[in-house]
Amino acid sequence: MSNTLPLLSRASGETLIDQIVRSLVARIDDKLLRGGARMPSIRQCAASLSVSCATVVASYDKLVARGYLESRRGAGFFVRERSPLNAPVPSAGAQDAAAQTMDVVWLIRNMFRRTPAIPAPGSGMLPAEWLDGDLVARALRDVSRQPGNFLLGYGAPQGFLPLRQQLQLKLAGLEIACPPEQIVTTVGVMQALDLVAREFVRPGETIFVDDPAYWLMFGAFAAMGMNVIGIPRLKDGPDIAVLAELAALHRPKLYVINSVLHNPSSTSLSAAKAFQVLRLAEQHDFLLVEDDIYCDMHPGAAGLVQPATRLAALDQLRRVIYLGGFSKSLAANLRVGFIATSPERAQRLADRKMLATLTTSDIGERVVYKILSQGLYRKHAERLRTRLDKVREGTYRKVEQAGLRFDPAPAGMFVWADAGCDTNLLAEKALAEGLVLAPGSLFSPRQLPSTRMRLNLATVQDERIWAFFARALG
């Protein structure tokens, strides 16, 4: 029964009925509850979830109305067999494959479906309560009080100029010289990656990525017809010998790399590796795309420790295209990112952006500008780093106690843990209990089975997660 019934949260802001309905719909859609399966009786379900029988009746009635359950007089409630009229049913073999397949879309769907009420230890985002909604709301109100004409037209093709001027100052603090005309704003870093790939790579040509790396770009590049090849990521950066060998063999156009607080390991590029990567890029004539979305979670961004090594600072944007944004540290819903690059490439990317979306939203960019220009963002980022530091050592101890192996990182929000078993199978067990893990197979362009998984320091603080690991890993 525990595998059938959801975990409920009375502090989520979502009604108990809606939580039950949403969770059971997800289990049926994901084939964790098969057609014809009998549901727990109303009394059993109410006792297990510590809710009233009326709450269960209302939940089951909603599921019947939506076509997910059927009521059989005298027998109870059953998962409805889906007919071709209401849900096409593939062959049995295809159904089994669908139930087992965990790809990029699977992770996105489940992370969004179960946020915020259901724990997501594999999430790539900080919980809403860790961020500062009041800070964003105040900035939004200040922007809304400005003369309304700007709300009615398009923004500037390269982005809101005062924001780009503010970004010039931010980049100067990272030792990257970049005037506003070399900055193009985007709808988050994903649009930045999309624009860069479409402008500089043709279908059939090769893009290098770290392996492991941010999983969403693998599918995006492959959908453009590009050949995506992973470069093994070590503690201090890419495996240089492999990079040199594959660069000579495949002649890549781009190499997308996290220099600082790599996703999913939270490791950073050493100075020695950075120089070697730049040398190979020059030798084999490919561009480096430096994704620095976690920039402000590194203490070096605030001058607290030795600054991290960034390729853009060493190269000064000659061969490096630098990407940044605020979705991880400020508000994902603002969707404000940016590209910093050479003057010629900035113009090409601004033209490409106009062909795709004309401009980006002036409103979100003004909100971010307001927060940056008033000095509020620096203090907010410092609070985030402090909070991550407070939970880091305690979380590392829990990871060890759960029997997971990992290399501790001094900063960042992720743990790249080795469970010693296929984490796709582990993720299936977790999903049945209402927990969303991020199995290691998704972080490699080859998507082969992996014993690794990504854990988020901020979203593993729920004791239900550690109870699950204790059961699942013995």
Side-chain angles (χ1 to χ4, degrees):
M1 186 181 300
S2 63
N3 285 346
T4 300
L5 299 178
L7 299 171
L8 302 182
S9 170
R10 285 170 170 77
S12 70
E14 185 181 21
T15 69
L16 296 175
I17 293 171
D18 287 343
Q19 289 183 58
I20 294 170
V21 170
R22 175 177 49 76
S23 187
L24 291 177
V25 163
R27 284 161 167 74
I28 294 169
D29 284 344
D30 290 339
K31 307 296 192 298
L32 295 172
L33 287 173
R34 301 295 185 135
R38 183 174 183 171
M39 298 297 295
S41 72
I42 290 172
R43 192 177 300 277
Q44 287 174 320
C45 184
S48 179
L49 296 176
S50 299
V51 298
S52 69
C53 289
T55 297
V56 178
V57 169
S59 303
Y60 280 8
D61 283 345
K62 276 194 172 185
L63 289 163
V64 170
R66 293 176 59 180
Y68 281 90
L69 297 184
E70 60 180 336
S71 175
R72 300 178 188 173
R73 185 180 297 275
F77 290 86
F78 294 79
V79 178
R80 186 179 179 186
E81 297 281 0
R82 313 305 292 274
S83 71
L85 292 177
N86 59 27
V89 178
S91 65
Q95 281 186 336
D96 291 341
Q100 298 297 323
T101 298
M102 291 189 174
D103 57 11
V104 167
V105 175
W106 173 90
L107 184 55
I108 298 171
R109 185 178 67 241
N110 284 291
M111 284 173 61
F112 278 95
R113 175 183 290 159
R114 290 170 169 82
T115 300
I118 302 299
S123 172
M125 301 175 286
L126 291 173
E129 59 268 22
W130 279 54
L131 302 175
D132 193 339
D134 291 339
L135 173 66
V136 176
R138 288 195 301 271
L140 185 57
R141 284 195 297 270
D142 288 346
V143 169
S144 70
R145 294 190 187 103
Q146 297 174 10
N149 287 343
F150 80 88
L151 295 170
L152 307 178
Y154 292 111
Q158 279 196 238
F160 184 49
L161 177 58
L163 173 60
R164 290 187 285 123
Q165 291 170 332
Q166 197 68 39
L167 291 173
Q168 177 185 13
L169 298 177
K170 177 178 174 62
L171 292 173
L174 303 176
E175 300 182 338
I176 303 169
C178 185
E181 58 269 21
Q182 292 179 224
I183 298 173
V184 180
T185 61
T186 61
V187 183
V189 167
M190 268 311 299
Q191 191 197 28
L193 287 167
D194 183 271
L195 292 173
V196 170
R198 291 182 187 278
E199 182 61 32
F200 298 108
V201 188
R202 305 278 76 81
E205 294 180 333
T206 296
I207 295 180
F208 282 177
V209 296
D210 284 336
D211 187 357
Y214 179 44
W215 37 268
L216 190 54
M217 64 180 171
F218 304 152
F221 293 157
M224 298 178 207
M226 296 163 189
N227 182 32
V228 184
I229 293 177
I231 305 299
R233 177 80 180 211
L234 308 178
K235 293 180 183 180
D236 60 346
D239 186 318
I240 293 297
V242 174
L243 175 60
E245 179 182 352
L246 293 181
L249 180 63
H250 294 283
R251 308 297 299 177
K253 294 296 181 179
L254 301 176
Y255 178 14
V256 183
I257 183 172
N258 281 141
S259 295
V260 178
L261 299 182
H262 165 254
N263 179 10
S265 71
S266 285
T267 58
S268 296
L269 190 66
S270 70
K273 282 286 180 75
F275 281 109
Q276 290 173 301
V277 169
L278 284 168
R279 179 179 57 81
L280 287 173
E282 182 75 29
Q283 179 181 342
H284 296 284
D285 193 25
F286 58 85
L287 294 174
L288 292 163
V289 182
E290 186 171 30
D291 177 358
D292 200 14
I293 188 64
Y294 299 101
C295 166
D296 297 306
M297 294 185 192
H298 192 284
L304 303 177
V305 299
Q306 181 70 25
T309 300
R310 288 178 170 83
L311 295 166
L314 298 176
D315 170 80
Q316 292 301 309
L317 303 177
R318 288 185 291 270
R319 187 169 288 276
V320 175
I321 301 173
Y322 179 90
L323 312 183
F326 303 92
S327 62
K328 303 298 183 184
S329 55
L330 186 58
N333 205 18
L334 288 174
R335 308 306 302 139
V336 176
F338 64 93
I339 303 169
T341 185
S342 68
E344 183 268 337
R345 286 194 292 267
Q347 186 58 61
R348 289 175 62 180
L349 290 167
D351 292 344
R352 170 70 66 173
K353 171 183 165 182
M354 285 191 292
L355 291 173
T357 60
L358 292 179
T359 67
T360 40
S361 170
D362 215 33
I363 299 172
E365 293 176 6
R366 287 172 183 257
V367 169
V368 173
Y369 164 71
K370 179 70 68 175
I371 294 171
L372 292 179
S373 63
Q374 292 180 345
L376 302 174
Y377 180 73
R378 177 182 57 80
K379 296 177 182 178
H380 167 68
E382 183 177 343
R383 288 193 295 270
L384 285 183
R385 289 191 299 269
T386 299
R387 193 164 183 180
L388 284 168
D389 287 342
K390 284 182 178 179
V391 301
R392 181 170 286 105
E393 291 305 318
T395 303
Y396 284 171
R397 285 194 296 272
K398 289 182 177 180
V399 173
E400 290 175 339
Q401 291 165 3
L404 301 166
R405 297 184 298 276
F406 69 104
D407 294 317
M413 58 189 282
F414 297 128
V415 180
W416 187 228
D418 189 339
C421 63
D422 185 343
T423 49
N424 272 20
L425 300 178
L426 192 64
E428 289 177 13
K429 294 179 182 178
L431 189 61
E433 299 192 25
L435 305 174
V436 181
L437 296 183
S441 62
L442 301 186
F443 293 85
S444 170
R446 298 177 296 167
Q447 303 227 321
L448 296 176
S450 171
T451 62
R452 293 274 185 173
M453 62 180 169
R454 184 183 71 184
L455 297 176
N456 182 325
L457 291 176
T459 61
V460 294
Q461 301 308 311
D462 191 313
E463 288 304 319
R464 289 175 288 179
I465 294 165
W466 302 108
F468 164 77
F469 283 136
R471 292 192 303 274
L473 300 176

